[in-house]
Amino acid sequence: MNDSTRELMAAWERVRETWRDGKADEFGRTYLMGLGEDVSRAVRVMDELERLFSKIHADCE
């Protein structure tokens, strides 16, 4: 997820070189602003869930 987010943001920067109107600003604010932080938080939660499920599985054996 982190790699994909970095690729998306790099692609967005390339797009922003030619798309410079208000709609581009709106798109960036609506869909991309804070995305990196959200993805990092989601990855941390998924890691914690993986650990929890592993513990549950081990406890059930």
Side-chain angles (χ1 to χ4, degrees):
M1 283 183 70
N2 286 324
D3 290 343
S4 295
T5 302
R6 278 191 289 275
E7 289 177 29
L8 172 64
M9 297 311 288
W12 175 242
E13 290 302 316
R14 289 191 301 273
V15 167
R16 288 294 286 158
E17 291 173 5
T18 57
W19 187 22
R20 299 183 188 139
D21 63 8
K23 284 296 183 183
D25 294 338
E26 179 183 344
F27 182 88
R29 281 191 310 273
T30 302
Y31 299 107
L32 301 175
M33 186 182 236
L35 182 62
E37 294 167 8
D38 292 343
V39 168
S40 293
R41 191 175 312 114
V43 168
R44 285 192 305 273
V45 170
M46 287 187 289
D47 288 342
E48 186 166 331
L49 284 170
E50 181 181 7
R51 287 190 297 276
L52 178 62
F53 288 140
S54 293
K55 183 180 181 332
I56 291 169
H57 181 73
D59 289 349
C60 290
E61 291 183 336

